[in-house]
Amino acid sequence: MSAALKQKVAEEMVRRLKWHHRFYDLADLVASWSKDPSTQVGCVIIDTDTRAVLSVGYNGFPRGVVDRPEWYEDRAYKYPTVVHAEVNAILSSMADLTGATLYCNIGIPCPDCAGPIIQAGIKAVVYPPANGEHKARCMTKDGLDLGELSEQMFEDADVEMLEYPREIKL
């Protein structure tokens, strides 16, 4: 490979990585809108070809439900009532999401979100590796690794998964 071609390939890789960072940053901003004090999740759905933002979502109670701090503090209330960021983004979209790419700021989407992602026709999911605390608290249920279950669902449905570390420097 010539030096000029190597340079061109390197520049293209940096350009793509910059877009991943931008959408992670946007997902972090959207996550900050969540009133959940313990877990703030943000999601951005983009048009894969144009990189136009199609929708955003964050975790929170459904529209019209009062944001009661005591419900966020009590998992018995919180878990069955909170709408996840990915589902909020899908439900809030006015666009056709077929072929879109979804960015999530906290880790691979859970199986409850993987189903709607697949049904919406989203074809790529980009996420950072889950940190240990989030994985232990949110991605394990009755001894089942929910991340592995999501991976299998995405694999079966031909949804591309890209675990992209946030720490890569440009």
Side-chain angles (χ1 to χ4, degrees), residues 48-96:
T48 304
D49 297 325
T50 67
R51 293 188 206 93
V53 174
L54 301 175
S55 189
V56 297
Y58 57 90
N59 59 311
F61 295 131
R63 284 188 194 118
V65 174
V66 175
D67 282 304
R68 293 174 176 86
E70 63 272 15
W71 281 18
Y72 281 117
E73 293 167 12
D74 187 339
R75 290 188 175 148
Y77 286 101
K78 180 171 101 168
Y79 285 169
T81 55
V82 165
V83 179
H84 291 192
E86 302 90 330
V87 172
N88 253 334
I90 291 167
L91 293 173
S92 297
S93 177
M94 299 299 225
D96 178 5

Side-chain angles (χ1 to χ4, degrees), residues 5-148:
L5 184 56
K6 284 182 183 177
Q7 178 65 27
K8 190 172 184 166
V9 168
E11 288 171 2
E12 176 62 17
M13 288 177 63
V14 168
R15 185 184 67 74
R16 288 183 184 188
L17 292 175
K18 283 183 179 180
W19 281 107
H20 288 315
H21 280 278
R22 287 175 185 133
F23 292 126
Y24 271 160
D25 289 346
L26 182 54
D28 285 338
L29 174 66
V30 172
S32 74
W33 303 340
S34 171
K35 293 187 174 108
D36 185 339
S38 66
T39 308
Q40 294 189 321
V41 183
C43 174
V44 177
I45 302 174
I46 65 158
D47 181 295
T48 304
D49 297 325
T50 67
R51 293 188 206 93
V53 174
L54 301 175
S55 189
V56 297
Y58 57 90
N59 59 311
F61 295 131
R63 284 188 194 118
V65 174
V66 175
D67 282 304
R68 293 174 176 86
E70 63 272 15
W71 281 18
Y72 281 117
E73 293 167 12
D74 187 339
R75 290 188 175 148
Y77 286 101
K78 180 171 101 168
Y79 285 169
T81 55
V82 165
V83 179
H84 291 192
E86 302 90 330
V87 172
N88 253 334
I90 291 167
L91 293 173
S92 297
S93 177
M94 299 299 225
D96 178 5
L97 301 178
T98 303
T101 298
L102 180 145
Y103 285 81
C104 185
N105 75 324
I106 200 163
I108 189 168
C110 71
D112 288 338
C113 293
I117 290 167
I118 293 164
Q119 288 298 98
I122 293 168
K123 283 298 175 189
V125 177
V126 184
Y127 55 92
N131 67 40
E133 178 195 341
H134 172 74
K135 188 168 182 152
R137 187 169 35 107
C138 302
M139 294 302 288
T140 306
K141 184 175 182 178
D142 300 327
L144 182 65
D145 184 324
L146 300 179
E148 287 180 7

